[in-house]
């Protein structure tokens, strides 16, 4: 065996390619093997350390092995080439003395190959899981993905892995995602990615397949009580509530017909539409009925709008994402962002005018998070120490906690380095109070889409919800239900 190892080592030294490859493998092997076993047992938490192991050391180790192989078989001197001819091999197999030596050489080669395959198997297994991890998706390309990862962590789907929605089942979706990811990684390396990232994305898996893995719209029945809290910008930060009865309805099943909001995604009511690339302007909507007939609803200026959009017109079948377009990466507007922090108690409602002052300071333009953090703290400290020094002295800690809450409201929704500000990403799950006709339900339910029969897509709000209380401090309906 010693002779075989010596002969193998001499063979490597006869090729510079093999020698360099052997040096790479020798240096990397102990670190790589130790790191993989550490990750298997205790898990590596730092995403950049994991990236070094699986995206740098791993490929380098494999490259070294390939270089050893190529050097031994293809980059040696002319004298060694004859060792791999059929005559040479036939001579070894027919001579008993030489065959014994060849057998040991084959055994040694198989032994080394087995070890290398084992290491590469562990590398592939752990590397696959690392590239499917939330840390890799959200933190590896920090500047690009920081907004989406921050919004994801504060969303209702924060316990659902990124790949559960962004990568479909099967090898084809895995390959598609990695090809797309390779292009995105190159864009990050070359600093050619857009700021902000445009939406909607067109290379995700089908929305219905994604959502239906956890949700079944045909099983949603009845109505849902929704209470929206908000605070006025007066001295008392008056706490008001809007109470809505949302008609969730169902997409239809064996016991009921499609009704309510989820009527839109029923198989009995296939809806297609033509829209701008961002799906905010929808001049034409078509309802396909089960009997094969269809009704086309168009705005008065549909032809002009479609001509203006031109070849970029999107023709799409309506599904979950047309309304729930931001089910996970949710960015709030200034008012709701502060309302949430106040409702959670992070920002004290007892601080006079905190809603007004916070609204003013977080809507200014800042070049970076650091600048925003410092400016918010300085301005709120200065204003309250000037106007309410006695309150601040009597309530130590409340202002500091409120400042931290105001900063969080900004940092969770605005990202200057990606040109993401308040309202950059539109959420279509509802509609704005000023009835922006390129937002939410109002894109279609605006009394402007008319069929040839004279029928309109209704703008009647009671189709989707009933308003039980609006801007009330202590709504009677909540008293009747036992909330107070």
């Amino acid at each position: 065996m010693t002779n075989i190892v010596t002969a193998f080592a001499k063979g490597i030294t006869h090729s510079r390619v093999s020698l360099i490859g052997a040096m790479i493998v020798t240096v990397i092997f102990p670190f790589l093997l130790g790191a993989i076993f550490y990750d298997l047992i205790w898990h590596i938490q730092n995403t950049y350390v994991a990236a070094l192991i699986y995206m740098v050391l791993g490929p380098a180790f494999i490259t070294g092995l390939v270089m050893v192989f190529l050097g031994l078989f293809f980059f040696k001197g002319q004298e060694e080439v004859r060792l791999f001819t059929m005559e040479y091999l036939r001579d070894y197999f027919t001579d008993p003395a030489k065959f014994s030596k060849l057998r040991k050489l084959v055994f040694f080669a198989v032994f080394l190959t087995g070890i290398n395959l084992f290491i590469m198997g562990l590398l592939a297994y752990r590397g696959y899981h690392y590239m499917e991890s939330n840390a890799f998706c959200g933190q590896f390309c920090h500047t690009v993905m920081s907004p989406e990862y921050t919004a994801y962590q504060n969303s209702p789907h924060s316990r659902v892995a990124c790949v559960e929605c962004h990568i479909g089942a099967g090898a084809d979706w895995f390959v598609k995602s990695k090809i797309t990811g390779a292009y995105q990684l190159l864009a990050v390396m070359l600093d050619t990615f857009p700021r902000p990232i445009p939406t909607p994305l067109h290379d995700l898996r089908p929305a219905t397949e994604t959502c239906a893995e956890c949700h079944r719209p045909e099983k949603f029945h009845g109505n849902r009580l929704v209470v929206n809290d908000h605070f006025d910008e007066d001295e008392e930060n008056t706490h008001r509530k809007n109470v809505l009865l949302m008609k969730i309805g169902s997409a239809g099943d064996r016991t009921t017909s499609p009704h309510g909001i989820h009527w839109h995604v029923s198989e009995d009511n296939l809806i297609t539409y033509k829209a701008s690339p961002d799906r905010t302007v929808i001049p034409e909507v078509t309802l396909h009925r089960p009997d094969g007939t269809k009704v086309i609803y168009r705005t008065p200026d549909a032809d002009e709008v479609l001509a203006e959009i031109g070849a970029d017109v999107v023709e799409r079948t309506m599904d979950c994402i047309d309304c729930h377009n931001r089910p996970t990466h949710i960015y709030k507007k200034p008012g709701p962002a502060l309302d949430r922090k106040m409702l959670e108690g992070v920002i004290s409602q007892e601080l006079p005018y905190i809603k007004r002052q916070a609204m003013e300071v977080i809507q200014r333009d800042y070049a970076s998070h650091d600048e925003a953090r410092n400016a918010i703290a300085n301005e709120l400290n200065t204003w309250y120490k000037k106007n309410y020094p006695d309150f601040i002295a009597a309530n130590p800690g409340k202002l500091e906690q409120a400042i931290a809450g105001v900063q969080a409201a900004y940092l969770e929704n605005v990202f200057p380095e990606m040109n993401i500000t308040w309202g950059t990403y539109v959420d279509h799950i509802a509609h704005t109070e000023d009835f922006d006709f390129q937002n939410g339900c109002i894109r279609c339910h605006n009394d402007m889409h008319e069929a040839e029969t004279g029928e309109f897509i209704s703008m009647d709000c009671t189709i989707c919800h009933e308003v039980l209380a609006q801007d009330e401090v202590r709504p009677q309906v909540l008293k009747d239900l036992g909330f107070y």
Side-chain angles (χ1 to χ4, degrees):
M1 182 61 67
T2 303
N3 294 334
I4 294 174
V5 174
T6 302
F8 183 75
K10 287 183 177 179
I12 291 177
T13 60
H14 289 168
S15 169
R16 291 183 180 179
V17 174
S18 288
L19 185 59
I20 295 173
M23 292 172 63
I24 294 174
V25 170
T26 303
V27 172
I28 291 177
F29 179 79
F31 294 101
L32 185 61
L33 184 62
I36 291 175
F37 276 108
Y38 181 92
D39 193 26
L40 284 170
I41 299 172
W42 293 288
H43 302 294
I44 295 174
Q45 301 298 327
N46 190 305
T47 187
Y48 297 106
V49 173
L52 175 65
I53 295 168
Y54 297 115
M55 301 182 68
V56 178
L57 295 184
F61 175 76
I62 295 174
T63 301
L65 291 176
V66 172
M67 291 175 68
V68 171
F69 173 83
L70 292 176
L72 284 172
F73 287 87
F74 298 104
F75 294 98
K76 298 180 71 173
Q78 293 296 323
E79 184 65 22
E80 283 79 9
V81 174
R82 67 177 184 82
L83 298 177
F84 305 99
T85 61
M86 288 301 298
E87 291 81 1
Y88 180 82
L89 294 175
R90 187 181 298 111
D91 182 41
Y92 259 80
F93 278 113
T94 55
D95 188 332
K98 292 182 179 180
F99 178 73
S100 177
K101 181 180 179 181
L102 180 64
R103 182 176 60 185
K104 293 178 181 179
L105 185 60
V106 170
F107 171 79
F108 184 68
V110 171
F111 176 74
L112 288 180
T113 302
I115 293 178
N116 290 327
L117 288 176
F118 175 72
I119 297 299
M120 286 191 289
L122 286 178
L123 180 65
Y125 174 78
R126 291 306 304 169
Y128 168 80
H129 284 284
Y130 167 66
M131 289 191 290
E132 298 284 279
S133 67
N134 290 344
F136 177 76
C137 295
Q139 295 178 294
F140 182 71
C141 299
H142 177 73
T143 300
V144 184
M145 294 310 301
S146 178
E148 301 298 332
Y149 190 59
T150 300
Y152 158 77
Q153 290 176 307
N154 296 314
S155 78
H157 292 99
S158 59
R159 295 185 179 180
V160 179
C162 304
V163 295
E164 294 296 323
C165 294
H166 287 277
I167 300 179
D172 55 340
W173 277 105
F174 177 80
V175 171
K176 289 178 183 178
S177 68
K178 296 312 172 189
I179 292 175
T180 302
Y183 170 77
Q184 293 168 349
L185 183 61
L186 182 63
V188 171
M189 294 173 61
L190 299 177
D191 194 24
T192 59
F193 56 90
R195 297 174 174 84
I197 302 298
T199 60
L201 301 178
H202 301 288
D203 53 359
L204 293 179
R205 59 191 295 199
T208 300
E209 293 180 10
T210 306
C211 302
E213 289 190 2
C214 298
H215 306 281
R216 295 185 63 183
E218 69 273 13
K219 294 298 182 182
F220 298 160
H221 295 286
N223 302 327
R224 176 188 175 192
L225 189 71
V226 175
V227 180
N228 292 324
D229 297 83
H230 62 280
F231 298 84
D232 289 345
E233 297 182 25
D234 57 3
E235 185 174 16
E236 293 78 21
N237 305 301
T238 304
H239 185 179
R240 300 184 183 276
K241 298 177 184 291
N242 294 334
V243 183
L244 304 175
L245 187 66
M246 303 301 300
K247 301 177 181 180
I248 303 299
S250 166
D253 62 10
R254 292 169 293 180
T255 62
T256 184
S257 59
H259 65 282
I261 296 172
H262 284 103
W263 174 92
H264 295 81
V265 291
S266 168
E267 294 181 356
D268 295 338
N269 303 309
L270 179 66
I271 299 174
T272 60
Y273 65 84
K274 296 180 181 180
S276 58
D278 60 0
R279 303 175 194 169
T280 58
V281 179
I282 305 178
E284 182 176 304
V285 180
T286 303
L287 169 62
H288 302 260
R289 292 182 171 139
D291 60 5
T293 61
K294 60 183 180 180
V295 183
I296 301 176
Y297 300 89
R298 310 182 88 231
T299 59
D301 60 349
D303 290 331
E304 293 83 354
V305 172
L306 292 173
E308 183 178 349
I309 300 173
D312 294 328
V313 170
V314 173
E315 296 190 38
R316 178 175 165 82
T317 299
M318 186 176 182
D319 63 15
C320 311
I321 298 299
D322 289 294
C323 293
H324 300 272
N325 67 311
R326 305 207 70 85
T328 299
H329 305 287
I330 303 169
Y331 297 88
K332 295 184 179 296
K333 291 190 174 182
L338 291 172
D339 290 336
R340 174 58 59 185
K341 297 299 180 184
M342 295 179 72
L343 192 63
E344 293 172 350
V346 179
I347 300 175
S348 175
Q349 303 172 29
E350 298 177 7
L351 271 170
Y353 289 113
I354 185 60
K355 176 67 179 294
R356 186 190 71 181
Q357 295 305 120
M359 283 287 289
E360 179 181 339
V361 73
I362 67 174
Q363 292 188 84
R364 295 177 184 170
D365 293 330
Y366 301 108
S368 66
H369 274 179
D370 287 339
E371 180 182 327
R373 190 182 291 109
N374 293 331
I376 291 170
N378 291 335
E379 293 200 25
L380 290 180
N381 268 313
T382 301
W383 192 87
Y384 277 98
K385 289 178 180 179
K386 175 182 178 181
N387 294 279
Y388 290 90
D390 295 339
F391 181 91
I392 300 305
N395 297 272
K398 281 195 174 182
L399 178 58
E400 289 73 14
Q401 181 181 352
I403 289 174
V406 176
Q407 291 171 333
Y410 179 90
L411 299 177
E412 291 171 3
N413 296 281
V414 180
F415 300 85
E417 65 277 9
M418 286 297 295
N419 293 331
I420 296 175
T421 187
W422 303 106
T424 295
Y425 292 119
V426 178
D427 191 348
H428 293 308
I429 193 57
H431 55 74
T432 56
E433 294 181 359
D434 56 356
F435 288 95
D436 183 350
F437 286 89
Q438 295 185 359
N439 171 260
C441 323
I442 311 300
R443 292 175 295 164
C444 298
H445 292 272
N446 51 28
D447 278 344
M448 296 173 61
H449 292 75
E450 183 181 9
E452 292 182 352
T453 59
E455 178 185 4
F456 285 86
I457 297 179
S458 177
M459 197 179 177
D460 183 1
C461 297
T462 61
I463 295 176
C464 295
H465 59 72
E466 297 283 352
V467 179
L468 304 183
Q470 186 167 358
D471 293 335
E472 297 184 21
V473 176
R474 293 177 65 87
Q476 183 63 42
V477 62
L478 295 184
K479 294 180 182 178
D480 295 340
L481 292 173
F483 281 72
Y484 302 121

